[in-house]
Amino acid sequence: MLYFQKFFVLFLSLSILGCSNNREEIVRKGFDRYKGQYLLYVDKGNFFMSIYNRDLKSVVDYKIGYGLNPDRKPKLYSGDKRTPEGLYSIIEILSMDAAKNTTTYKKLKMMNKVYFRAKEGHSKYGKLNVDLGTDAYGPRFFRIDYPNESDISRYEKAKKGGNLPLKNGKLPGIGSGIGIHGNNDEASIGHLCSSGCIRMYNNDIVELDKYIQIGTPVIISNK
């Protein structure tokens, strides 16, 4: 049964983005195994995220930024600065507006204390020598379940084919920790800008909260 479930997730993820060019059909399939009211559709090509309801109608659109790798390909390994593509789900919700004694608040607070330095590849958009600094995740962080079965399959294929770069003599891992979050660099929204996550304006990410729950489907597409 577990094998069947994993195979179904892999098949659905591949078929959603690989076999249909019709967004309505893609969204419908995204709702197939989810009983909630909303689904997130990330359009990498146009730097927008659309929220769809169960009637397959777009409720609202938000401008986004994502992985700064100019090839815009799906994420393959840790450090490639790409954003994944496929069918995912929200698996963690962190909020700076949650009660201060909760893990939800404490974890995001600690994440926002991290200081990101330009010399390590984390700079303000268009300012390569200016540190990104603290508060890089803003008021919300919605983690997705990358890597999924499809991602793992692609990674293993690349590994066997010798298509992963060596880093300090070692192969990179597949990566993790991908999410949708706020920002401390508004100029970056609408551009290739992150290490792989999806960035939003802080006001928008707070508004997005009302459409999110654990399990909410997230479709990330280059179309």
Side-chain angles (χ1 to χ4, degrees), residues 72-103:
R72 304 193 188 199
K73 292 180 180 179
K75 187 168 186 62
L76 181 60
Y77 59 87
S78 177
D80 63 8
K81 298 187 184 299
R82 294 169 176 162
T83 295
E85 292 176 14
L87 173 63
Y88 302 93
S89 297
I90 299 295
I91 58 172
E92 184 176 38
I93 297 172
L94 304 178
S95 172
M96 292 301 295
D97 293 317
K100 290 181 171 53
N101 63 344
T102 62
T103 301

Side-chain angles (χ1 to χ4, degrees), residues 110-152:
M110 289 300 296
M111 289 167 59
N112 275 326
K113 284 184 177 180
V114 176
Y115 191 92
F116 290 95
R117 303 181 186 280
K119 66 180 182 180
E120 297 170 350
H122 306 289
S123 60
K124 294 285 187 178
Y125 180 75
K127 301 176 181 178
L128 296 180
N129 296 318
V130 179
D131 293 346
L132 184 59
T134 60
D135 299 306
Y137 300 103
R140 297 288 188 280
F141 186 96
F142 303 118
R143 191 181 306 273
I144 65 172
D145 59 341
Y146 173 91
N148 62 22
E149 293 297 316
S150 178
D151 299 315
I152 294 170

Side-chain angles (χ1 to χ4, degrees), residues 1-12 33 149:
M1 180 61 72
L2 181 59
Y3 174 82
F4 174 79
Q5 290 173 339
K6 288 184 176 181
F7 176 80
F8 182 86
V9 171
L10 172 59
F11 173 78
L12 184 59
R33 292 174 64 85
E149 293 297 316

